């Protein structure tokens, strides 16, 4: 497998994981706004916790980003994922903010 093919595979996997976590986060937001505090909300909290723990272990980098660096010399924020550069650059800020809102609403709902 060439470096270019490997990087494309990493980008595709990274993008699919990003999409999965979008579903998780937006379900969580829907659940707390609508008052639907169910098992899937708590599963979402667990998944986000595991993602946060993974980022903490890897010094705030996604392991796929670190792997992709082996196959790219790009300094763009989206070198490792199929997202617009501005979104790749701001993903952590956007989703951390959404998660804080979800936590606050969850606490209010409980």
């Amino acid at each position: 497998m060439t470096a270019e093919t490997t990087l494309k595979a990493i980008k595709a996997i990274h993008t699919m994981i990003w999409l999965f976590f979008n579903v998780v986060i937006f379900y969580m937001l829907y659940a707390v706004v609508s008052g639907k505090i169910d098992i899937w909300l708590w599963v979402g909290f667990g998944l986000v916790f595991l993602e946060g723990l993974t980022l903490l272990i890897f010094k705030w980098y996604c392991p796929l980003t670190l792997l992709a660096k082996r196959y790219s010399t790009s300094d763009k924020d989206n070198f490792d994922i199929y997202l617009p550069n501005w979104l790749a650059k701001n993903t952590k800020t956007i989703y951390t903010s959404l998660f804080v809102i979800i936590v606050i609403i969850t606490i209010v709902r409980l």
Side-chain angles (χ1 to χ4, degrees):
M1 191 179 288
T2 67
E4 183 180 343
T5 304
T6 303
L7 182 60
K8 286 180 181 180
I10 292 168
K11 289 175 78 162
I13 292 165
H14 201 183
T15 303
M16 286 186 281
I17 293 168
W18 182 87
L19 288 169
F20 171 78
F21 274 102
N22 269 274
V23 171
V24 170
I25 289 288
F26 282 99
Y27 174 78
M28 292 173 72
L29 185 59
Y30 159 76
V32 296
V33 167
S34 68
K36 187 177 179 181
I37 310 298
D38 61 5
I39 187 68
W40 295 111
L41 174 65
W42 301 113
V43 168
F45 274 113
L47 290 169
V48 172
F49 174 77
L50 288 175
E51 179 187 24
L53 184 61
T54 301
L55 291 173
L56 184 64
I57 290 168
F58 287 94
K59 300 179 182 172
W60 300 113
Y61 287 99
C62 175
L64 290 173
T65 298
L66 298 175
L67 182 61
K69 282 184 179 184
R70 297 180 188 174
Y71 302 98
S72 175
T73 57
S74 176
D75 60 350
K76 291 184 177 182
D77 293 301
N78 65 346
F79 80 95
D80 62 333
I81 194 165
Y82 291 115
L83 293 177
N85 199 57
W86 69 269
L87 185 54
K89 180 179 181 178
N90 296 300
T91 289
K92 288 179 191 168
T93 303
I94 293 167
Y95 291 99
T96 300
S97 300
L98 282 172
F99 187 70
V100 168
I101 292 167
I102 291 165
V103 168
I104 291 169
I105 296 172
T106 301
I107 290 168
V108 169
R109 292 280 185 188
L110 293 176

